[in-house]
Amino acid sequence: MIIVTGAAGFIGSCLISKLNQENFNFIIAVDDFSYPEKEANLAGKRVQERVDREVFFDWLDQNYHEVEFIFHIGARTDTTEFDRQIFEHLNVEYSKQIWHRCIQYQIPLVYASSAATYGLGELGYDDNESLIPQLKPLNPYGDSKNEFDIWALEQERKPFFWAGLKFFNVYGPNEYHKGRMASVIFHAFRQIKESGAMKLFRSHNPDFADGEQMRDFVYVKDLVEVCSFLMHHRRNSGIYNLGSGKARTFLDLVKNTFQALGLEPEISFIDTPADIRDKYQYFTQANMAKLRSIGYDRPFTSLEDGIADYVTNYLSKEDYL
């Protein structure tokens, strides 16, 4: 039995698809299932039981003896939400309860952290655990993820295997429901299909030309491969970056989206919204040496190949992974 929290969401549902491919069908899907727009993410997937996140701990206390592994992917991920109590409940306290039960019931754990913990990258993007208490996230979401990372590292008692994964800019199938928080590739596809053109945020940083802002974009199919590797590996506990390891510009991203649609690029620039301008990351790039050092040797999908697959096989068909 494998538990996936955030099961109806973007990454959680893609992870269930990967587990099903590996013939893991005894999946317990944990989420708030009251959002009909997420229902299609789980359609056709083999799930043993759905458990509402607010009754999950009671359920786990009754069924822990059957649980083999927990992937804690569920979180409030809205970087424009500034109600810290929401993050404290869903991202910090909820995660602590999972951690304690993984110790109590001897269950290995992989949980989702975030590259939002790195803030402006003043200390770089190295998953060096000694630097984590010094990081300065830019918003309450990043704060909540970093707060839990710090707390986990401080604990004397830990699950016998655990890993926190700092997800960088993830894109791919099953993010249709995410609205403003969906990937830039998703928004580019929609905008190009509707208008034949794409508007990008102008740079408000003299070190970066318009469209030359750089992010580490990681395809969700690569991300779930890493999750599968860690489930089988179960050694070398710790916090790991999970990106492609290669920063790419937004212009690269949009030009590849136009190419996947068979169209000539038509790109213009608009001001970055004032509410996120001072919290905007102009460069992110995961140092992936730590994950490689424990034996993960699969290549990461190039931005060109990832966009081509996403646009051609999913977005254009409104299909799901």
Side-chain angles (χ1 to χ4, degrees), residues 9 16 62 66 76 104 111 135-136 155-156 162 177 182-183 193 203 208 220 227 234 243 256 274 289 313:
I16 290 174
Q62 298 295 317
E66 294 187 75
R76 181 63 177 263
Q104 183 178 354
Y111 74 85
L135 298 178
K136 297 185 178 74
Q155 298 311 294
E156 286 187 22
W162 67 276
H177 64 282
S183 71
K193 290 288 282 186
S203 173
F208 293 85
V220 71
C227 288
R234 300 192 189 191
N256 275 286
N313 296 317

Coordinates of all heavy atoms in Angstrom, one line a residue, residues 9 16 62 66 76 104 111 135-136 155-156 162 177 182-183 193 203 208 220 227 234 243 256 274 289 313:
G9 N -4.1 16.5 -7.4 CA -3.4 17.6 -7.9 C -2.5 17.2 -9.1 O -2.4 16.1 -9.6
I16 N 0.9 9.0 -9.3 CA 0.0 7.8 -9.3 C 0.1 7.1 -10.6 O 0.2 5.9 -10.7 CB -1.4 8.2 -8.9 CG1 -1.5 8.6 -7.4 CG2 -2.4 7.0 -9.2 CD1 -2.8 9.1 -7.0
Q62 N -5.7 3.6 11.9 CA -6.4 2.4 11.8 C -5.7 1.4 10.8 O -5.8 0.2 11.0 CB -7.8 2.6 11.4 CG -8.7 3.4 12.3 CD -8.9 2.7 13.6 OE1 -9.2 1.5 13.7 NE2 -8.7 3.5 14.7
E66 N -0.6 -1.7 7.0 CA -0.6 -2.1 5.6 C 0.2 -1.2 4.8 O 0.5 -1.4 3.6 CB -2.0 -2.2 5.1 CG -2.9 -3.3 5.7 CD -4.2 -3.3 5.0 OE1 -4.2 -3.9 3.8 OE2 -5.2 -2.8 5.5
R76 N -0.5 23.6 0.2 CA -1.1 24.8 -0.4 C 0.1 25.4 -1.2 O 1.1 25.8 -0.6 CB -1.6 25.8 0.6 CG -2.2 27.1 0.1 CD -3.4 26.8 -0.8 NE -4.0 28.0 -1.3 CZ -5.1 28.6 -0.7 NH1 -5.6 28.1 0.4 NH2 -5.6 29.7 -1.2
Q104 N 6.5 6.6 14.2 CA 5.8 5.7 15.0 C 5.5 4.4 14.4 O 5.6 3.3 15.0 CB 4.4 6.4 15.4 CG 3.6 5.6 16.4 CD 2.3 6.4 16.8 OE1 2.1 7.5 16.4 NE2 1.4 5.7 17.5
Y111 N 8.7 13.8 0.9 CA 7.8 14.9 0.9 C 8.3 16.0 -0.1 O 9.5 16.1 -0.4 CB 7.7 15.4 2.3 CG 8.8 16.2 2.9 CD1 9.0 17.6 2.6 CD2 9.8 15.6 3.6 CE1 10.0 18.3 3.1 CE2 10.9 16.3 4.2 CZ 11.0 17.7 3.9 OH 12.1 18.4 4.4
L135 N 18.4 30.5 4.6 CA 17.7 30.9 3.4 C 16.6 31.9 3.7 O 16.1 32.0 4.7 CB 17.1 29.7 2.7 CG 18.1 28.6 2.2 CD1 17.3 27.4 1.6 CD2 19.1 29.2 1.2
K136 N 16.3 32.8 2.6 CA 15.4 33.9 2.8 C 14.3 33.8 1.7 O 14.4 34.5 0.7 CB 16.1 35.2 2.7 CG 17.1 35.5 3.9 CD 17.6 36.9 3.8 CE 18.6 37.2 4.9 NZ 19.9 36.5 4.7
Q155 N 15.1 17.5 14.0 CA 14.6 16.4 14.8 C 15.6 15.4 15.2 O 16.3 14.9 14.3 CB 13.4 15.8 14.1 CG 12.2 16.7 13.8 CD 11.8 17.5 15.0 OE1 11.3 17.0 16.0 NE2 12.0 18.8 15.0
E156 N 15.6 15.0 16.4 CA 16.4 13.9 16.8 C 15.9 12.5 16.3 O 16.7 11.7 15.9 CB 16.6 13.8 18.4 CG 17.4 14.9 19.0 CD 17.6 14.7 20.5 OE1 17.5 13.6 20.9 OE2 18.0 15.7 21.1
W162 N 13.9 9.0 4.8 CA 13.1 10.2 4.5 C 13.8 11.0 3.5 O 15.1 11.1 3.5 CB 12.7 11.0 5.7 CG 13.9 11.7 6.4 CD1 14.7 11.1 7.2 CD2 14.4 13.0 6.1 NE1 15.7 12.0 7.6 CE2 15.5 13.2 6.9 CE3 13.9 14.1 5.3 CZ2 16.3 14.4 6.9 CZ3 14.7 15.3 5.3 CH2 15.8 15.4 6.1
H177 N -6.0 22.5 -14.0 CA -6.8 23.2 -13.0 C -6.1 24.3 -12.2 O -6.8 24.9 -11.4 CB -7.3 22.1 -11.9 CG -6.1 21.5 -11.2 ND1 -5.2 20.6 -11.7 CD2 -5.6 21.8 -10.0 CE1 -4.3 20.3 -10.9 NE2 -4.4 21.0 -9.8
A182 N -0.4 27.7 -12.8 CA 0.1 26.7 -13.8 C 1.4 27.2 -14.4 O 1.8 28.4 -14.3 CB -1.0 26.6 -14.9
S183 N 2.1 26.3 -15.1 CA 3.4 26.6 -15.6 C 3.3 27.7 -16.7 O 2.3 27.9 -17.4 CB 4.1 25.4 -16.2 OG 3.5 24.9 -17.3
K193 N -2.6 29.8 -28.7 CA -3.8 29.3 -29.4 C -4.9 30.3 -29.5 O -5.6 30.3 -30.5 CB -4.3 28.1 -28.6 CG -3.4 26.8 -28.6 CD -3.4 26.2 -30.0 CE -4.6 25.3 -30.2 NZ -4.6 24.5 -31.5
S203 N 11.6 42.6 -18.0 CA 12.6 42.5 -16.9 C 12.6 43.9 -16.2 O 12.6 44.9 -16.9 CB 13.9 42.2 -17.5 OG 14.9 42.3 -16.4
F208 N 19.2 41.6 -16.5 CA 18.6 40.7 -17.4 C 17.8 41.5 -18.4 O 17.0 42.3 -18.1 CB 17.6 39.8 -16.6 CG 18.3 38.8 -15.6 CD1 18.6 39.2 -14.4 CD2 18.6 37.5 -16.0 CE1 19.3 38.4 -13.5 CE2 19.2 36.7 -15.2 CZ 19.6 37.1 -13.9
V220 N 7.6 17.1 -15.5 CA 7.0 16.3 -14.4 C 7.3 14.8 -14.5 O 7.4 14.1 -13.5 CB 5.4 16.5 -14.3 CG1 4.7 15.9 -15.4 CG2 4.9 16.1 -12.9
C227 N 11.1 10.3 -7.8 CA 10.3 9.8 -6.7 C 10.3 8.2 -6.6 O 10.5 7.6 -5.6 CB 8.8 10.3 -6.8 SG 8.6 12.0 -6.4
R234 N 15.7 4.0 -0.8 CA 15.5 3.9 0.7 C 16.8 4.0 1.5 O 16.9 3.4 2.5 CB 14.7 2.7 1.1 CG 13.3 2.7 0.5 CD 12.5 1.6 1.1 NE 11.2 1.5 0.3 CZ 10.2 0.8 0.7 NH1 10.2 0.2 1.9 NH2 9.1 0.7 -0.1
G243 N 15.5 19.6 -10.0 CA 15.3 20.4 -11.1 C 16.0 19.6 -12.3 O 16.4 18.5 -12.2
N256 N 10.1 27.6 -28.2 CA 9.9 26.2 -28.3 C 8.4 25.8 -28.3 O 8.0 24.9 -29.0 CB 10.6 25.4 -27.2 CG 12.0 25.1 -27.6 OD1 12.3 24.3 -28.4 ND2 12.9 25.9 -27.0
A274 N 2.6 44.3 -10.2 CA 3.2 45.0 -9.0 C 3.2 44.1 -7.8 O 4.1 44.1 -7.0 CB 2.4 46.3 -8.7
A289 N 24.1 17.7 -8.1 CA 25.2 16.8 -7.8 C 24.8 15.8 -6.6 O 25.3 14.7 -6.6 CB 26.5 17.6 -7.5
N313 N 1.4 15.8 -27.2 CA 0.7 14.7 -26.7 C -0.3 14.9 -25.6 O -1.1 14.0 -25.3 CB 1.7 13.6 -26.2 CG 2.5 13.1 -27.4 OD1 2.0 12.8 -28.5 ND2 3.8 13.0 -27.2

